[in-house]
Amino acid sequence: MLSTRLKPPFAKLLAHATLAEGPHEEIPINAPFTGDVFGCVPAAQEPDVELATSRARAAQSAWAATSFSNRARIFLRFHDLLLARQDEILDIIQLETGKARRHAFEEILDTAGVSRYYARRAQDLLRPLRRRGAFPLLTKTLEVRVPYGVVGCIVPWNYPLNLAITDAIPALIAGNAVVMKPDHQTTFTALWAVGLLREAGLPADVLQVVTGDGAKVGPMLLDRVDFIMFTGSTRTGKMVAKPAGERLIGCSLELGGKNPMIVLADASLDRTVGGALHGCFVGAGQVCVSIERIYVHESVFGAFVAKFAEGARALKLGAALDYSVDVGSLTSPRQLQTVEAHVRDALHRGAKLQAGGKRRTDIGPLFYEPTIFTGVDESMRMFAEETFGPVVAVYPFTTVDDAIGRANATQFGLNASIWTRDTAAAIELAKRIRSGSVNINDTYIATWGSVDAPFGGMKESGVGCRHGAEGILKYTEPQTIAVQRLVPLSLPPGPVAKTQARFLTVVMKLMRYLRM
Ligand code: NAD
């Protein structure tokens, strides 16, 4: 079944990419499930990126002049089409990433949810605001939001539908045009989704896609756009921030994590283990918000590790294009190398393997068992480095202060999780964790799915946020417009200046008295 389903019409999808005239080198793309090449992606050059950005720029002002209700209609239609045709895109996501269908489905839910949220809320979030004028009655002041123009979106391979589309949607609804650069591994998912947006009524030129290798195409895009939305590793994020700084364009960076989970003594063991199995092994651990460190109160440490390891061993690995398997494949040989290097290093330095620890070539070239370690210490790579694979270290703790201290002892601050029956106390603990999101009795979906609230990283996990008001306001610049009435605020020439100065002084005192 796999071999027949793995043949979508990829050449047709390339019609949604922007390619200048002339030959293009092609990058062969392998399916993680089998290792076979399933398609080729054109390597964009300078003329392609120039064409995409100039088309986007030419289309932007007419798009910004359309009504909010017109824009909202397009994204609500996209929402409906995506839910109706989810099986098509689930196949492509699985083909390109190797993830299990149950994990790919999370991308459908979130993409539809974000689309609906901004379609419904954008007009209100971006409405012009009356601000207090310099002097009441004399100055009428408005704050309006102006789109940047052309926004570049650089997208990673791990959530290829979700991160391609949900960052582009608020940029578009705010009146920008977008040039997207998906990761070369997952180009076809992005192209399919862009095709669906066009089918939903989005004018073709306001959303352009450039394809190819990020290290080459990314800098060309950065030279041309007015704002950059980047999602990827902290290392590349720093490389993106530099030219953005030199050009003085805004940027929003969603970067890596080394996310902790804290299990308090009173937590329900069954629920916590269930949460950990999902939070650690979703997408084979290749999720920015997945859990890589678990701190368990010493009184329940043994019971937790035993049950967690038993659960991990029972997870079904596989390459099925349906909901029958629990965990899929790693996506690239590069990820496999990192996972194997971290596991080898931990074993070599004396960590104790509780589950997994092996590659599963009997299933496919990049499958790796859900892997649990105890006894990990500072000397080991997996202690502080992001593994981005199905590997987690479990540590005992004695006091809550100790657990919070260890959760915070990292360069990252993306996501965290606390498990306890005392949710009021957990909210207070959450405030002590330096992390953009903290989930209580969940690992990441509770915060990630709350699209009305901002989602972003602290410390080296990022700058800026997606979701909520922040997730759309960031694609606009505030502009203040003030109308001065009756009396000018500058003092006129001649002796009348003194009278006016006195008048303004009285007004100032009155404002103080009236608590304005
Ligand atoms: P990556 O940094 O290697 O690549 C991300 C994107 O940047 C890709 O599209 C790539 O082609 C492009 N790119 C590569 N070099 C570039 C350059 N010099 N200039 C501009 N663009 C360039 O990251 P990855 O390995 O693809 O993704 C995994 C990382 O992303 C992990 O660290 C993960 O935690 C992080 N991530 C973060 C979030 C979040 O929301 N915070 C979400 C998903 C992934």
Side-chain angles (χ1 to χ4, degrees), residues 126-131 141-145 473 478-481:
L126 297 175
R127 75 187 187 286
L129 297 173
R130 266 303 278 277
R131 296 295 188 191
T141 303
L142 275 183
E143 177 193 325
V144 298
R145 308 296 309 195
L473 291 175
Q479 182 183 49
T480 300
I481 302 172

Side-chain angles (χ1 to χ4, degrees), residues 439-471:
N439 293 270
I440 296 166
N441 296 334
D442 190 54
T443 48
Y444 66 90
I445 298 182
T447 52
W448 178 257
S450 301
V451 295
D452 193 30
F455 174 91
M458 293 184 183
K459 300 194 270 185
E460 293 207 356
S461 287
V463 174
C465 292
R466 54 166 65 100
H467 294 174
E470 282 88 344

Side-chain angles (χ1 to χ4, degrees), residues 153-159 163 167 181-184 212-220 222 229-237 239-240 243 253-257 259 286-289 334-335 386 388 412 414 448 455-457 461-462 466:
C153 287
I154 299 181
V155 184
W157 45 265
N158 69 328
Y159 267 67
L163 296 176
D167 285 329
K181 196 219 70 65
D183 191 279
H184 60 275
D213 175 44
K216 292 188 183 134
V217 183
M220 296 177 202
L222 271 155
M229 170 69 227
F230 173 85
T231 307
S233 62
T234 297
R235 194 179 69 87
T236 314
M239 284 159 52
V240 166
L253 307 169
E254 297 285 349
L255 309 176
N259 308 302
Q286 302 166 115
V287 179
C288 56
V289 285
R334 187 182 77 167
Q335 284 313 125
E386 183 184 37
F388 219 53
F412 297 111
L414 188 60
W448 178 257
F455 174 91
S461 287
R466 54 166 65 100

Side-chain angles (χ1 to χ4, degrees), residues 373-429:
F373 276 103
T374 52
V376 170
D377 66 32
E378 290 91 333
S379 70
M380 302 173 195
R381 288 185 63 187
M382 74 167 62
F383 182 82
E385 282 178 43
E386 183 184 37
T387 308
F388 219 53
V391 181
V392 58
V394 192
Y395 308 84
F397 72 83
T398 44
T399 65
V400 168
D401 286 349
D402 173 32
I404 298 280
R406 290 207 260 164
N408 280 333
T410 167
Q411 73 190 99
F412 297 111
L414 188 60
N415 182 39
S417 168
I418 301 174
W419 292 74
T420 174
R421 290 176 211 266
D422 187 349
T423 52
I427 289 173
E428 294 312 308
L429 291 183

Side-chain angles (χ1 to χ4, degrees), residues 68-79:
F68 271 112
S69 57
N70 177 39
R71 286 179 239 164
R73 242 193 324 274
I74 294 169
F75 291 101
L76 288 174
R77 213 176 295 136
F78 172 75
H79 167 278

